[in-house]
Amino acid sequence: MIAIIDYGLGNLGSIQNMIKKIGENSKIITHPEELSEAKKIILSGVGSFDTGMNNLIKRGWIEVLNKLVLNDSIPILGICLGMQLMTQSSEEGFQNGLGWISANTEKFNFDTNIYKIPHMGWNDVMFDKDSKLFNSQDFNQKFYFVHSYYIKKIDNCDVTFKTVYGEEFVSGFEYKNIAGVQFHPEKSHKYGMKLLENFINNF
Amino acid sequence: MLRPRIIPCLLINNCDLVNTKKFYFDKYIGDPINTLRIFNDKEVDEIIFLDINATKSKIGPNYDLLKDIASECFMPVTYGGGITTLNQIEKVLKLGFEKISINGRTNKNISFLYEAVKEFGSSTIIASINIKTHNRSYKVYDYINNRLLDDDMFVFLNLIENTGIGEIFVTDVDREGTLMGYNFDLINKLNNKFKIPIIFNGGANSYIDLKDAIKNDISAVSASSLFVYYGRLNAVLISYPSPIEQNVILNERNKL
């Protein structure tokens, strides 16, 4: 079973819709204790960093997630805020992040009106080598982004994906059993569907 | 490269997909779900659904229809129409919509926009603004009470931007549904004035129109008739630029 964590933030229905289209079963999980049966975990979310962390703390997710992800190596995919929560901290708030990857979340800051904030729309994702999520055969891919905060650089990852908006930033990563994407695969047509399928089958 | 978005705006009346001309009913188009499936196959950037009756009739969103729509949408989708409470927004988002469009037409709406942004975040809330030409100037049009706001368009749009909303969906009422071509005077006036994305809608008559609008600072272009009508007699046929046509349309903006 693929567990989609409901911690009170974000549009989980659309992730479930797409996984259903792929032909897999998923379940939206509201209580941490139900997570033990999960073979794969998706941590999505739209909202602010502190609200996200506070909800995870308040609802008792932190301990369970740390155990499953760090000790039991259950694959997890962070989407949008879900990926940012995996970093150490964010300029958006004061809370510490989950701290699973050595990166921080920063705010987009441009001197010109050309680059609107949020970075919203379809953009390219570049990768240096084939990985579990991306395959060079899937060319001409594009993905839907909506975000005002971003990860500038990331240390010690197996693979990082890059996107350019004003400057190059990290639009995704893979590190052991942990993966994150800044864009929304659940809203990125067949390209996103392929990525979710790759997460389900290859991770 | 961030691609400016090309967005079909689809109008719902009861459970039908319809088209309007200058905000008056023009034609029945078809079933919303079937139409959506066609747009899905064409890999549209994004879709906006507006229920043109939900505010006027005070019945609010048709959740059953919206649930069916959301389950077929593998692209970002916005809903607008009859939204007056935060609870309604939450319900529509839960169904699988990303964004909610709220019509900005009076000062009362502005305070609701503030509340909605505070609760659901900037990127979730779009302000929809209708513009009409009046004595050679542009005025904000309140379609419910069929009147123009006294305020200058820019004063009002700045108030709207300051609520923290994520985007402004501007519809040119005088050209809406007419296929007359975009009003480039209005587009030029809006160009480079805002920090947030502007989606421009109303009157597009060709892909060249879309291309010319995108040359400006407009972040997204929207159209209804252009994507649902075909030919001299406006036969109903769903269309959308192919990837090659999109590249031509977006070419001018490769600088981003």
Side-chain angles (χ1 to χ4, degrees):
Chain A
M1 184 262 296
I2 298 153
I4 305 168
I5 297 182
D6 178 4
Y7 58 112
L9 284 182
N11 185 346
L12 307 175
S14 50
I15 296 176
Q16 200 169 30
N17 283 338
M18 191 172 258
I19 292 177
K20 194 174 156 199
K21 189 90 178 174
I22 292 170
E24 295 285 340
N25 281 326
S26 67
K27 200 171 160 195
I28 294 177
I29 306 275
T30 344
H31 298 291
E33 57 271 22
E34 297 168 56
L35 201 58
S36 52
E37 306 156 38
K39 294 218 159 50
K40 304 261 155 87
I41 303 170
I42 293 178
L43 180 65
S44 185
V46 176
S48 80
F49 192 87
D50 279 1
T51 313
M53 282 313 294
N54 287 334
N55 283 8
L56 286 178
I57 295 165
K58 243 182 358 212
R59 299 175 187 209
W61 286 103
I62 304 282
E63 204 181 321
V64 179
L65 280 174
N66 277 336
K67 178 186 170 288
L68 290 177
V69 174
L70 301 178
N71 297 345
D72 305 347
S73 296
I74 304 287
I76 185 164
L77 174 68
I79 297 176
C80 197
L81 177 67
M83 157 168 148
Q84 296 178 359
L85 293 176
M86 295 171 169
T87 65
Q88 308 288 325
S89 69
S90 172
E91 279 184 9
E92 192 179 11
F94 302 101
Q95 280 287 359
N96 287 326
L98 290 163
W100 294 339
I101 50 168
S102 53
N104 294 304
T105 306
E106 299 175 42
K107 186 171 176 34
F108 274 127
N109 199 349
F110 302 116
D111 304 331
T112 147
N113 264 2
I114 298 175
Y115 300 108
K116 313 286 176 192
I117 299 172
H119 169 221
M120 181 186 288
W122 295 80
N123 208 329
D124 306 313
V125 172
M126 300 169 288
F127 48 96
D128 303 331
K129 52 179 180 185
D130 283 4
S131 67
K132 292 183 217 166
L133 290 184
F134 277 103
N135 190 315
S136 53
Q137 285 167 346
D138 315 327
F139 58 94
N140 270 338
Q141 304 183 90
K142 52 178 186 171
F143 294 92
Y144 184 74
F145 289 79
V146 189
H147 60 124
S148 305
Y149 293 83
Y150 73 112
I151 299 175
K152 195 180 222 161
K153 68 176 183 61
I154 203 164
D155 298 326
N156 313 327
C157 265
D158 303 331
V159 196
T160 54
F161 314 121
K162 301 281 176 59
T163 293
V164 178
Y165 188 59
E167 59 182 316
E168 196 176 85
F169 70 93
V170 176
S171 49
F173 71 88
E174 292 174 26
Y175 174 61
K176 297 180 184 169
N177 57 314
I178 305 170
V181 288
Q182 181 59 65
F183 49 84
H184 289 271
E186 76 280 13
K187 286 289 159 180
S188 300
H189 288 300
K190 65 181 182 211
Y191 314 104
M193 205 179 285
K194 181 78 189 154
L195 184 131
L196 280 179
E197 219 178 324
N198 287 344
F199 172 69
I200 292 166
N201 295 330
N202 303 347
F203 248 82
Chain B
M1 180 197 75
L2 179 70
R3 300 148 200 261
R5 292 161 287 151
I6 303 168
I7 308 176
C9 174
L10 303 180
L11 306 176
I12 302 168
N13 187 19
N14 300 320
C15 281
D16 296 338
L17 203 65
V18 300
N19 212 27
T20 56
K21 192 179 266 184
K22 300 186 182 185
F23 280 27
Y24 290 101
F25 177 82
D26 187 41
K27 205 180 238 178
Y28 168 74
I29 301 296
D31 172 64
I33 306 297
N34 286 338
T35 311
L36 177 60
R37 286 194 185 121
I38 300 172
F39 278 120
N40 232 344
D41 289 342
K42 295 179 185 296
E43 292 183 17
V44 292
D45 289 342
E46 192 167 330
I47 282 199
I48 295 177
F49 279 95
L50 299 178
D51 188 326
I52 59 172
N53 194 32
T55 303
K56 276 188 180 157
S57 63
K58 300 198 168 78
I59 48 174
N62 177 346
Y63 297 109
D64 290 337
L65 177 64
L66 296 185
K67 186 169 183 235
D68 292 342
I69 289 175
S71 66
E72 291 288 335
C73 270
F74 300 112
M75 78 293 270
V77 54
T78 298
Y79 171 76
I83 297 277
T84 50
T85 69
L86 297 179
N87 188 28
Q88 288 172 321
I89 298 179
E90 192 181 341
K91 272 174 92 170
V92 178
L93 292 177
K94 277 233 163 93
L95 295 176
F97 281 72
E98 272 62 56
K99 301 187 245 188
I100 301 295
S101 164
I102 299 168
N103 193 235
R105 54 195 165 79
T106 61
N107 291 327
K108 194 179 155 215
N109 288 115
I110 290 184
S111 58
F112 183 54
L113 285 172
Y114 268 109
E115 280 177 51
V117 168
K118 206 174 140 213
E119 184 73 21
F120 301 102
S122 285
S123 57
T124 307
I125 307 296
I126 295 183
S128 147
I129 307 292
N130 301 316
I131 304 287
K132 247 174 159 341
T133 316
H134 180 70
N135 288 342
R136 291 194 193 168
S137 71
Y138 296 109
K139 292 286 187 188
V140 175
Y141 175 61
D142 172 358
Y143 78 103
I144 294 297
N145 300 306
N146 193 18
R147 65 180 197 94
L148 298 171
L149 281 196
D150 297 333
D151 308 37
D152 173 73
M153 173 180 77
F154 281 106
V155 172
F156 192 77
L157 285 175
N158 285 330
L159 279 178
I160 292 282
E161 186 180 22
N162 289 337
T163 61
I165 47 134
E167 291 171 284
I168 304 180
F169 181 74
V170 174
T171 297
D172 178 357
V173 180
D174 297 320
R175 301 205 183 196
E176 194 270 332
T178 63
L179 290 161
M180 277 166 71
Y182 280 143
N183 179 348
F184 281 94
D185 179 62
L186 178 56
I187 288 179
N188 288 334
K189 287 206 161 68
L190 297 169
N191 196 23
N192 269 323
K193 297 285 197 312
F194 303 95
K195 286 202 177 67
I196 57 173
I198 299 285
I199 306 169
F200 192 83
N201 179 49
N205 72 351
S206 66
Y207 293 167
I208 296 171
D209 245 10
L210 304 182
K211 178 182 157 122
D212 289 343
I214 281 168
K215 259 191 238 167
N216 287 275
D217 172 60
I218 300 297
S219 300
V221 283
S222 178
S224 304
S225 306
L226 179 63
F227 299 134
V228 298
Y229 287 157
Y230 180 79
R232 191 170 50 87
L233 297 174
N234 289 350
V236 173
L237 180 74
I238 304 303
S239 66
Y240 188 77
S242 68
I244 293 168
E245 288 165 328
Q246 284 180 43
N247 282 341
V248 175
I249 293 169
L250 305 182
N251 197 19
E252 299 290 331
R253 277 279 286 264
N254 270 342
K255 61 179 189 284
L256 280 188

